[in-house]
Amino acid sequence: MTDRELDVRDEGSALAVTAGEMEIARYVHRPDAPDSEAPKPYLHPLRSLSGAPLSSYRPWDHRWHKGLQMTWAHLSGQNFWGGPTYSAERDYQMEDNLGQMRHVDFTAVTADGDRVTVEETLHWVTAAGEHWITERRRLDFHGVDPGRGLWALDFATELRNVRGAALDFGSPTTHGRPLAGYAGFCWRGPRSFTGGTILAAGGRGGAEMMGEQADWLALAGQHDEIDGGATVLVLAGRSSAAVPIKWFVRREPFAVISPSPSFDEEFTLAPGGTLELAHRHVFVDHLCDRAELDELGEEFAL
């Protein structure tokens, strides 16, 4: 096996994805988590090709943050994100509304050396045990390039409303909290990435990217324990909803990125309707400058 050959190993409750001898991602599809954390599949640990850590798991400030995972904090009154639910009247309060995203089966798990593909069926189940969404999820691990120190992950999903009634997709911002529009596929970076550099398409960057639109956004941070740093580049991709994808991004008090499909505008999914999302992450084993990110943003554009 070469240092760029991709493979996948089934470990029961998780799939381990390797590039050569390095495990670059672990997809935990049967998590051991309390109901208060809205159990759902997640990717952690994520690593660069050299083995540097690129994700956090159950940080003390938000125990429900787990690497890279599909989330939704406000879905017709249910919380599929974890922890307390925000309302303008009560601020954040723990509620009896924490749902789960339950793994049903894998319809495909394949590896051909250049790509690992995982296709999965999940059920979104409310706190009361009602099945609201059937999800068809696809993860593609690809683009391993040891010379440039990078690899890529594609995430595509179809969320079909099986509730028998409309579903309203929102965020804390649509419920009254400014600049808290996290929703959808969310990455929590290592603690050492706090204070890192945010760069975005079009010559933009910094904390002012919160709630903005851009084709791509990246966060570059330093490692603890080992020298150097890394860059996580996220391509906003596509949403079939009528509202645009906007960025939820922070470098303080911790590093987080979500291409939010409902940042500050709710949308409704009719009974039997399907929401389609597609995003791409590129994990780079060094600190990228703007010129390199402009090139990567064009190369990996969706």
Side-chain angles (χ1 to χ4, degrees):
M1 177 179 287
T2 69
D3 61 355
R4 65 185 303 159
E5 186 173 345
L6 281 165
D7 203 359
V8 60
R9 183 175 64 253
D10 188 345
E11 297 190 348
S13 63
L15 300 176
V17 179
T18 55
E21 299 301 316
M22 178 60 63
E23 183 182 300
I24 57 172
R26 180 171 292 259
Y27 183 58
V28 180
H29 57 277
R30 295 192 184 279
D32 180 14
D35 290 348
S36 62
E37 296 174 12
K40 65 186 74 65
Y42 60 86
L43 288 147
H44 176 83
L46 292 165
R47 297 187 180 94
S48 70
L49 293 182
S50 69
L54 297 177
S55 59
S56 291
Y57 176 76
R58 294 192 79 242
W60 61 263
D61 50 80
H62 295 77
R63 295 298 187 196
W64 49 96
H65 287 192
K66 296 178 175 70
L68 180 58
Q69 58 182 348
M70 184 64 179
T71 69
W72 228 294
H74 289 267
L75 177 57
S76 290
Q78 289 290 298
N79 179 350
F80 289 91
W81 179 210
T85 298
Y86 181 83
S87 70
E89 299 76 22
R90 303 178 61 203
D91 199 18
Y92 278 103
Q93 297 289 333
M94 292 300 297
E95 307 279 358
D96 185 20
N97 68 340
L98 290 156
Q100 301 183 17
M101 299 178 195
R102 296 178 181 170
H103 168 82
V104 177
D105 60 18
F106 289 120
T107 54
V109 178
T110 62
D112 64 8
D114 292 325
R115 180 178 294 261
V116 166
T117 296
V118 177
E119 296 180 1
E120 182 185 18
T121 302
L122 304 101
H123 288 171
W124 292 32
V125 180
T126 69
E130 298 175 349
H131 175 195
W132 278 11
I133 290 175
T134 293
E135 179 181 359
R136 310 292 186 195
R137 180 179 298 187
R138 178 178 173 127
L139 302 170
D140 283 292
F141 304 81
H142 63 99
V144 174
D145 187 336
R148 294 190 293 172
L150 63 81
W151 65 275
L153 167 67
D154 291 357
F155 174 86
T157 190
E158 297 179 357
L159 306 179
R160 183 166 60 89
N161 178 358
V162 298
R163 180 190 183 190
L167 289 172
D168 297 320
F169 290 76
S171 73
T173 294
T174 67
H175 284 69
R177 185 186 176 202
L179 301 179
Y182 53 85
F185 203 40
C186 190
W187 169 77
R188 172 70 186 256
R191 187 73 66 178
S192 66
F193 276 43
T194 302
T197 301
I198 298 170
L199 296 172
R204 293 177 291 168
E208 60 268 26
M209 289 308 300
M210 177 71 88
E212 294 295 311
Q213 297 181 56
D215 289 343
W216 59 261
L217 182 142
L219 197 152
Q222 299 276 357
H223 300 307
D224 283 335
E225 298 186 24
I226 56 178
D227 293 335
T231 305
V232 176
L233 166 66
V234 187
L235 288 300
R238 301 181 298 274
S239 169
S240 65
V243 303
I245 291 174
K246 296 182 179 181
W247 292 104
F248 178 83
V249 58
R250 285 180 177 158
R251 63 189 192 99
E252 300 282 356
F254 46 76
V256 62
I257 302 174
S258 173
S260 175
S262 58
F263 186 93
D264 54 7
E265 297 179 74
E266 282 196 350
F267 65 86
T268 298
L269 190 62
T274 299
L275 171 67
E276 298 180 4
L277 299 170
H279 313 297
R280 175 171 288 161
H281 288 60
V282 183
F283 301 97
V284 188
D285 210 359
H286 56 264
L287 298 170
C288 295
D289 60 19
R290 179 170 296 281
E292 183 176 8
L293 285 169
D294 282 336
E295 293 178 0
L296 290 173
E298 182 175 352
E299 176 184 351
F300 284 94
L302 283 169

